[in-house]
Amino acid sequence: MGLTALLAATPLLVLLVLLGVVRMASHRAALWSLASAVAIALTAYRMPFGQIADGAVEGAAFGLFPIVWIILNAVWINKLQRASGHFDLIGRTFTSLSPDPRVQALVIAYCFGAMVESLSGFGTPIAITSIILLGLGLAPLRAAAVAAFANTAPAAFGSVGNPIQALAKATGYSEHDLGAMVGRQSSVIAVLVPLFLLLILDGRRGLREVWPAALAAGVGFGAGQYLCSNFFTYQLTDVMAGIVSVVVVVLLRFWQPGGARSEPEPEAKQRKIPPLPLLQAFAPYALLIVAFALVSVDGPVARFVAARGTSFPWPGLQIRTAGGTVPKAAVYDLNWLGSGGTVLLIVGVLSVLILRLRPGRALRAYREACAQIRWAALSIGCVLALSYVMNLSGMAVSLGAWLAGTGGVFALLSGFLGWFGVALTGSDTSSNALFGAMQVAAAHRVGMDGLLAAATNSTGGVQGKAEAMQNLAIASSAVGLTGREGEILRKVIGWSLCVLAALCLLAWLESTSVLDWMVVGR
């Protein structure tokens, strides 16, 4: 069993070595890893080459639609805001909440970063917030570390729920059940992240002086995640969490941190922002909430959108489970109208009108968005193709069976496996696609709830965002520290592992009678 698991893990080890040691570009590393998976599936697992090819093509197709489709239109909206100049107004709004730079950094990196993550993901929030933090006067190394670590809180839901969709496809569980379970776990962890951010920002003094603001932001963020993922729609979880976390605004009306060391703002920066430009700046987020509410909450619009979608077995792919059924991964869902990417495209078109951009400038922004994500799109397609080959050939089951040999300890290891996947690939979406089925297979063998194991992969995975090579590269290049990624890593890895340990303990308690009431369906 150990040798079989080692053979099944070879594609993942290839990906790890090429990314972490050789430092090869992620899309090239994914291609080599996919090639090794094809060779193993063909020779060791005796999967016919035609079936391997069909599975890989379906995985790549799922990577392009809906995942890359979502990312493309989300990045476009962000570029529209920046092209119109309204994105800067959002930053000014958040920085005006407090004269204390630690509170400003907390609100920008944590609250505002979550809103950007809900639209873009894949390192975009790290790049944007680190630049803003640098403008506030933070040292480059600290700005990069804060931006990278803050991005861990919202990443479980990523770009409009992309990680949850990938996890549902890999495991066969309902997207809504997975979103609800991830929301219950991440809402607890969300309270811890801002407190650790203060330690990165200003050590123990920062925690001692500013903890009420951090606690308010964390509790608000966690409450927003839980309520939206469990009672509304998981696609908007990060948007709602970012908005609710700004309850810190209410707190700051009655309290300011002691030991504030900021200088009075110049008179130009103290001027109030006119209401109309401010409404225009936040309009895309408001439209996003309304649009997803219409297509997600049961009603005439939601039913109309659902009726336009279709599902079909992937042509030529003839795969059966041990029980003789067709696995969910072999069925392709084409919900073209209700896809998050289509909703984002509609919101983007409306945003062009609201932001008063010329059509030519909007189209140029779309071309810029295509250029920006082209390598990420190739990486995602290759990683999803890799995950489909591993899942459909039986490699994921082999790894799960071996992990099941750890018995009850597996509940403690489940979150670490997700962390490893994200640290490896830089994406919670990719990690869920790679390890989701493996987690469920191992959970069933040890008597753990499969839904809990799948959700823990996503929630634990986000702590690896701060250690992923591509995210470290984005943070370092944004603040002018190219080549010093190792310094940023040393700045964040200890705190990241502390939060991961808390999540692993939470997952283990959820697998026992102590906290099993937190599991969806119990």
Side-chain angles (χ1 to χ4, degrees):
M1 182 67 73
L3 291 174
T4 303
L6 179 61
L7 184 64
T10 299
L12 302 178
L13 296 175
V14 169
L15 190 60
L16 171 65
V17 171
L18 293 179
L19 284 176
V21 180
V22 181
R23 297 193 177 186
M24 184 180 289
S26 58
H27 61 280
R28 293 181 181 175
L31 280 171
W32 281 108
S33 184
L34 174 60
S36 66
V38 169
I40 293 170
L42 186 65
T43 57
Y45 284 80
R46 305 299 176 90
M47 187 177 184
F49 181 77
Q51 298 298 296
I52 296 174
D54 285 336
V57 171
E58 188 198 358
F62 179 71
L64 294 175
F65 186 93
I67 294 176
V68 172
W69 179 236
I70 290 173
I71 297 169
L72 171 61
N73 291 300
V75 171
W76 180 47
I77 292 176
N78 182 267
K79 288 190 173 295
L80 291 176
Q81 289 178 304
R82 298 178 74 85
S84 66
H86 289 82
F87 189 83
D88 295 333
L89 297 182
I90 297 175
R92 283 177 55 192
T93 301
F94 285 123
T95 56
S96 66
L97 299 178
S98 171
D100 191 293
R102 296 166 298 183
V103 177
Q104 293 176 358
L106 191 69
V107 174
I108 290 169
Y110 189 64
C111 307
F112 179 53
M115 298 174 68
V116 178
E117 175 73 23
S118 70
L119 286 178
S120 298
F122 289 88
T124 303
I126 297 174
I128 291 173
T129 57
S130 60
I131 292 172
I132 297 176
L133 293 174
L134 197 64
L136 293 178
L138 264 68
L141 179 60
R142 188 162 296 173
V146 169
F149 187 78
N151 189 234
T152 62
F157 293 92
S159 301
V160 202
N162 255 342
I164 303 300
Q165 293 184 36
L167 188 60
K169 192 69 176 179
T171 62
Y173 284 108
S174 160
E175 294 178 7
H176 300 288
D177 287 345
L178 285 168
M181 188 65 234
V182 171
R184 295 182 187 190
Q185 291 181 322
S186 59
S187 62
V188 177
I189 301 304
V191 179
L192 301 177
V193 173
L195 298 173
F196 283 109
L197 277 174
L198 289 181
L199 290 171
I200 297 174
L201 277 165
D202 198 25
R204 294 182 180 178
R205 177 174 58 178
L207 186 62
R208 183 175 61 251
E209 295 175 351
V210 193
W211 69 264
L215 187 61
V219 171
F221 194 96
Q225 280 194 321
Y226 171 74
L227 293 172
C228 189
S229 61
N230 280 261
F231 302 107
F232 188 36
T233 174
Y234 72 89
Q235 289 99 329
L236 291 176
T237 297
D238 285 341
V239 176
M240 296 302 295
I243 293 173
V244 175
S245 66
V246 186
V247 296
V248 71
V249 177
V250 178
L251 173 68
L252 294 177
R253 291 180 181 274
F254 307 99
W255 171 86
Q256 288 291 339
R261 291 170 283 108
S262 61
E263 297 293 332
E265 287 188 297
E267 184 178 347
K269 287 191 175 182
Q270 293 179 0
R271 291 186 307 217
K272 289 186 177 181
I273 303 172
L276 181 58
L278 192 61
L279 289 173
Q280 289 176 310
F282 283 94
Y285 298 103
L287 288 173
L288 195 64
I289 294 171
V290 173
F292 271 102
L294 289 173
V295 301
S296 302
V297 179
D298 187 34
V301 175
R303 288 192 290 270
F304 175 82
V305 168
R308 306 283 81 76
T310 184
S311 298
F312 54 89
W314 190 257
L317 191 59
Q318 299 175 3
I319 303 290
R320 297 292 183 272
T321 66
T325 61
V326 177
K328 186 175 180 180
V331 178
Y332 188 75
D333 299 318
L334 185 61
N335 186 16
W336 63 273
L337 185 57
S339 166
T342 305
V343 173
L344 284 164
L345 178 63
I346 295 171
V347 169
V349 172
L350 295 175
S351 297
V352 170
L353 301 176
I354 294 173
L355 299 176
R356 297 181 180 179
L357 283 169
R358 294 178 179 177
R361 183 65 187 90
L363 290 174
R364 189 161 68 251
Y366 205 89
R367 287 197 299 270
E368 292 169 358
C370 291
Q372 179 179 324
I373 72 164
R374 64 187 186 281
W375 297 119
L378 180 57
S379 298
I380 292 167
C382 291
V383 168
L384 266 295
L386 167 65
S387 73
Y388 268 59
V389 172
M390 291 188 66
N391 290 337
L392 295 174
S393 67
M395 282 188 263
V397 175
S398 296
L399 283 167
W402 176 73
L403 287 170
T406 59
V409 181
F410 174 73
L412 281 171
L413 298 175
S414 180
F416 176 79
L417 190 61
W419 177 90
F420 174 76
V422 176
L424 182 68
T425 65
S427 164
D428 202 41
T429 301
S430 299
S431 176
N432 286 344
L434 284 173
F435 296 139
M438 186 193 314
Q439 293 266 19
V440 174
H444 287 163
R445 289 176 178 267
V446 301
M448 179 182 174
D449 189 287
L451 180 67
L452 171 60
T456 302
N457 188 83
S458 189
T459 313
V462 298
Q463 297 310 316
K465 291 283 284 187
E467 289 79 29
M469 283 302 300
Q470 47 265 59
N471 290 334
L472 290 173
I474 289 171
S476 62
S477 60
V479 299
L481 295 178
T482 302
R484 297 172 62 183
E485 291 83 2
E487 295 180 43
I488 303 173
L489 177 63
R490 288 191 292 272
K491 194 86 171 172
V492 299
I493 190 169
W495 306 119
S496 177
L497 291 175
C498 286
V499 179
L500 175 63
L503 182 276
C504 290
L505 179 60
L506 174 65
W508 177 71
L509 291 174
E510 287 175 325
S511 70
T512 69
S513 58
V514 177
L515 291 179
D516 62 351
W517 50 269
M518 288 184 64
V519 179
V520 173
R522 293 292 179 91

